[in-house]
Amino acid sequence: MTDAVAGDVSIGIAANFTDAARELAKQFEAETGHTVSASFGSTGKLYAQIRNGAPFDVFMAADERRPALIEAEQAGVPTTRFTYARGKLALWSPASNVFDDAERYLAQQSFARLAIANPKTAPYGLAAKQVLERLDHWQTLQGKLVRGDSIAQTFQFVASRNAQAGFLALSQVKSWTGEEGTLWHVPEAYYQPIDQQVILLNRGADNQAAVAWINFLKSDTAIAIIRDYGYDTDN
């Protein structure tokens, strides 16, 4: 693609997908000549921004509920909504040997702070709440929970050791370049599936770069990158 027809796509992207999105954008730009402008945040806040007129062409959420609302509100292009990634929840601490039995660790509550994302705005926070409710710790842990506005902020709480451990996106832990720490892959039966959906917004309907991005997410190249970052896909 020549510069003469290259365009720009503005995307609102769920914070858990930051590292994967940056690699995807790099590959997409190399293949197409288009430019990606990405804004990262919690799904709930991005949805609110879109409803308030934020100039995004594409919305990549960490759930299926908000993109479905966008479609129902006729703010997105019908038939363009699909699941681009299925997220996985993990309990992680940057310190080694913090727990060998994560469920017992949560039950004993010997930590001072446990980080989760805000369940009202961040799907990974909602998943963490579902896990704690399943294990009957949600009420008893209220005094020790620290809530990040997004899963990205939640990760910072844990990585900086302001919280001893936290419920995070597995993809964030896989992207971590520091010490391996202590990790629990939360059984997927403990929380509702984190089906992360994308939708082309009305603003991007006639944007060649935006349409190209939607198509790129379905490509073998994109799917391989998404899987490398710890997500499942339908393909």
Side-chain angles (χ1 to χ4, degrees), residues 16-24 27 84-88 169-176 183 185 216-217 219-235:
N16 74 89
F17 205 66
T18 299
D19 293 316
R22 285 176 174 157
E23 184 166 342
L24 287 167
Q27 183 66 32
Y84 65 90
R86 183 166 295 108
K88 298 179 183 180
L170 178 62
S171 57
Q172 294 174 300
V173 181
K174 288 176 69 71
S175 299
W176 172 249
L183 174 67
H185 293 258
F216 172 71
L217 290 176
S219 70
D220 291 342
T221 299
I223 289 168
I225 291 171
I226 291 168
R227 289 178 175 171
D228 281 346
Y229 276 87
Y231 298 93
D232 284 336
T233 66
D234 288 334
N235 305 85

Side-chain angles (χ1 to χ4, degrees), residues 66-76 81 199:
R66 270 80 165 208
L69 285 172
I70 291 287
E71 185 174 22
E73 294 159 359
Q74 299 184 336
R81 178 169 63 90
I199 189 167

Side-chain angles (χ1 to χ4, degrees), residues 147-160:
R147 295 170 173 82
D149 286 339
S150 68
I151 198 66
Q153 185 180 54
T154 307
F155 184 83
Q156 288 304 314
F157 288 158
V158 182
S160 64

Side-chain angles (χ1 to χ4, degrees), residues 13-16 40-49 59-67 69 116-129 138 146-154 194 196:
I13 305 176
N16 74 89
F40 300 98
S42 71
T43 291
K45 289 192 173 182
L46 289 170
Y47 168 71
Q49 290 171 11
F59 179 32
M60 297 182 68
D63 66 6
E64 55 184 333
R65 184 169 73 87
R66 270 80 165 208
L69 285 172
I116 68 169
N118 185 341
K120 294 181 179 179
T121 58
Y124 282 84
L126 177 59
K129 179 182 178 183
W138 177 247
V146 289
R147 295 170 173 82
D149 286 339
S150 68
I151 198 66
Q153 185 180 54
T154 307
I194 305 174
Q196 303 196 186

Side-chain angles (χ1 to χ4, degrees), residues 10-12 46-47 49-51 53-60 66-67 70-71 74-78 80-81 198-207 210-211 214:
S10 177
I11 313 173
L46 289 170
Y47 168 71
Q49 290 171 11
I50 291 167
R51 293 203 61 186
F56 297 135
D57 301 306
V58 175
F59 179 32
M60 297 182 68
R66 270 80 165 208
I70 291 287
E71 185 174 22
Q74 299 184 336
V77 179
T80 63
R81 178 169 63 90
V198 61
I199 189 167
L200 179 66
L201 301 173
N202 288 345
R203 183 181 183 272
D206 297 321
N207 181 340
V211 174
I214 292 289

